[in-house]
Amino acid sequence: PSPVEVTIGREALDRYERALEMLSTTERALVIARVEMGSSYAEVAEETGRPSADAARVAVSRALLALASHMRALERGAP
């Protein structure tokens, strides 16, 4: 990758990490389990006490929406 691509990648990763810290403990656990650990929705349900894989899928989707919102705010320069 070019230096620009490396810089953009690093900036995106920094925003991701900062946005992750802005989530609630539960939201953070959901995102980490699904995105970083690659857990299935059934595994996420078991790990987080959700009653079903579908409930975990909905919870993960909501957590990812919150994460994306925080990342957008950080990209616009919000603290």
Side-chain angles (χ1 to χ4, degrees):
S2 74
V4 171
E5 290 170 325
V6 170
T7 300
I8 291 171
R10 182 70 223 164
E11 288 174 2
L13 181 58
D14 288 345
R15 273 195 314 278
Y16 168 78
E17 290 173 348
R18 288 181 56 205
L20 198 60
E21 292 173 6
M22 298 167 82
L23 297 176
S24 71
T25 302
T26 301
E27 290 171 324
R28 190 169 33 256
L30 290 162
V31 170
I32 289 171
R34 181 68 180 151
V35 175
E36 294 188 22
M37 305 302 290
S39 299
S40 69
Y41 289 117
E43 291 168 331
V44 172
E46 187 175 317
E47 294 167 8
T48 61
R50 296 290 183 289
S52 67
D54 280 341
R57 181 185 52 76
V58 170
V60 167
S61 294
R62 289 179 179 156
L64 289 171
L65 286 172
L67 178 71
S69 176
H70 291 310
M71 288 181 72
R72 279 191 301 275
L74 290 167
E75 187 173 28
R76 289 190 305 265

